Amino acid sequence: MSAMQTAIPLRPGDTVATVAPSSALEDDQRLQEGLAVLRGWGLCPLEQNVSARRWGHLAGTDQERFSDLCHEAPLLACARGGWGSARLLERSIRWKPGWLLGFSDITSLLWSRLKAGLAGGIHGPLLTTLGAEPAWSQERLRQLLFGETPPALKGEPRGGGQTTGPLIAANLTVASHLLGSDHVPELQGAILILEDVGEAPYRIDRMLTHWRLCGALQQLGGIGFGQFEGCDRNLDDLLTTTLEAVLDERTADLNIPVVKNLPVGHICGNAALPMGQLACLDGNLGSLSLVA
């Protein structure tokens, strides 16, 4: 996978379309708080009413949610995650140049878009989480959208030296269900950053084992683990395998840089990561930096 060109930076006055491709919204106030952050940067969100849409547990029918992806706005900002975006991949999406922002269930769209060869995907805060993000995280997202280079991220060094490669981020559960589909970007030599929420350690083990059996982990140039919120307990107290032990053991023989505890995932302080951009992962220093 070669380096991808950066999307055209946003400018004050550019429009923003709210995209609700997944679960129905539960809190319109949080959505409005996120839109207010974008307005503070000089961006102009379109007048929409995605909060009112319902189709079962989803934010509208597949057609309604698919139509969100057809907006001409330079930034498509996803409202929330949950489940549902992968259903839209059953249709042919004509991805347009520009930016797509989101994480968690939005992994499906970010990966599909990257596989189609488009830069501008950002694994980062949703509109319903952006307002609660700390100042440094909001500023990092603004820098990426407006063409500036944010500072390096720090995590826990786990060794393996240093590598440079295209950056790919994902929710582990969502990405695991894309393996074997036509929506998986090139993993050879890539730096993969994984996060998850609410999965017991044995389930994390099961998913990483699936990646190993597919040969996917063995292709990577480096791997970073973000936050695995609520993933440190097994359902059965008699099972004592810890999350830390699973992450260490499943990557110990890869002989690539590994960094843990990066500020990425279902936490307040979810650092934005540009999909496909060249990055450097240093397993000895525990850092992840973008290559300008």
Side-chain angles (χ1 to χ4, degrees):
M1 180 176 178
S2 59
M4 301 184 70
Q5 292 185 347
T6 304
I8 298 175
L10 296 181
R11 298 176 298 179
D14 281 341
T15 57
V16 180
T18 299
V19 178
S22 304
S23 295
L25 273 72
E26 300 172 347
D27 190 340
D28 186 68
Q29 179 178 347
R30 291 173 60 193
L31 174 65
Q32 296 306 319
E33 291 171 353
L35 292 172
V37 173
L38 300 184
R39 291 190 184 96
W41 299 341
L43 301 176
C44 301
L46 300 174
E47 292 296 330
Q48 297 169 264
N49 190 24
V50 298
S51 298
R53 293 192 332 217
R54 293 287 189 282
W55 188 63
H57 60 283
L58 301 173
T61 64
D62 286 349
Q63 180 57 49
E64 286 176 313
R65 291 179 294 109
F66 182 85
S67 295
D68 286 348
L69 301 175
C70 300
H71 284 290
E72 299 289 342
L75 170 60
L76 304 182
C78 293
R80 68 157 296 183
W83 159 248
S85 69
R87 292 172 58 102
L88 306 183
L89 301 184
E90 296 183 9
R91 308 179 180 209
S92 178
I93 302 176
R94 291 188 175 183
W95 293 110
K96 302 178 179 67
W99 299 89
L100 174 68
L101 170 65
F103 85 111
S104 193
D105 187 58
I106 310 305
T107 293
S108 295
L109 301 180
L110 291 170
W111 274 38
S112 179
R113 195 174 186 278
L114 186 60
K115 176 62 181 295
L118 279 81
I122 294 184
H123 182 281
L126 299 156
L127 286 177
T128 50
T129 65
L130 179 57
E133 285 289 300
W136 71 263
S137 174
Q138 293 181 356
E139 173 61 11
R140 179 182 178 87
L141 175 59
R142 188 202 65 78
Q143 289 173 324
L144 287 174
L145 290 173
F146 284 80
E148 304 170 22
T149 301
L153 297 176
K154 294 292 292 183
E156 175 188 340
R158 302 301 293 176
Q162 181 185 101
T163 189
T164 298
L167 183 60
I168 301 176
N171 174 271
L172 174 59
T173 297
V174 176
S176 296
H177 286 87
L178 293 177
L179 293 178
S181 75
D182 294 329
H183 303 282
V184 179
E186 177 60 58
L187 296 175
Q188 188 67 47
I191 295 173
L192 179 67
I193 310 298
L194 295 172
E195 65 83 30
D196 218 321
V197 61
E199 297 289 351
Y202 81 91
R203 293 176 179 169
I204 303 294
D205 188 333
R206 180 167 61 199
M207 286 185 279
L208 291 177
T209 299
H210 178 50
W211 283 67
R212 292 173 63 91
L213 292 174
C214 291
L217 282 190
Q218 294 87 334
Q219 298 179 46
L220 300 175
I223 187 167
F225 293 108
Q227 301 301 302
F228 283 70
E229 188 71 10
C231 297
D232 55 348
R233 295 183 300 276
N234 282 293
L235 299 180
D236 187 339
D237 289 338
L238 296 178
L239 299 176
T240 57
T241 301
T242 66
L243 170 66
E244 295 298 314
V246 169
L247 298 183
D248 287 341
E249 191 277 332
R250 291 284 75 188
T251 58
D253 62 350
L254 298 179
N255 298 315
I256 58 175
V258 178
V259 175
K260 294 167 62 176
N261 288 324
L262 288 164
V264 175
H266 287 73
I267 54 168
C268 188
N270 178 20
L273 299 174
M275 301 286 286
Q277 185 168 336
L278 278 181
C280 178
L281 185 73
D282 194 319
N284 296 334
L285 296 178
S287 64
L288 173 66
S289 57
L290 300 180
V291 177

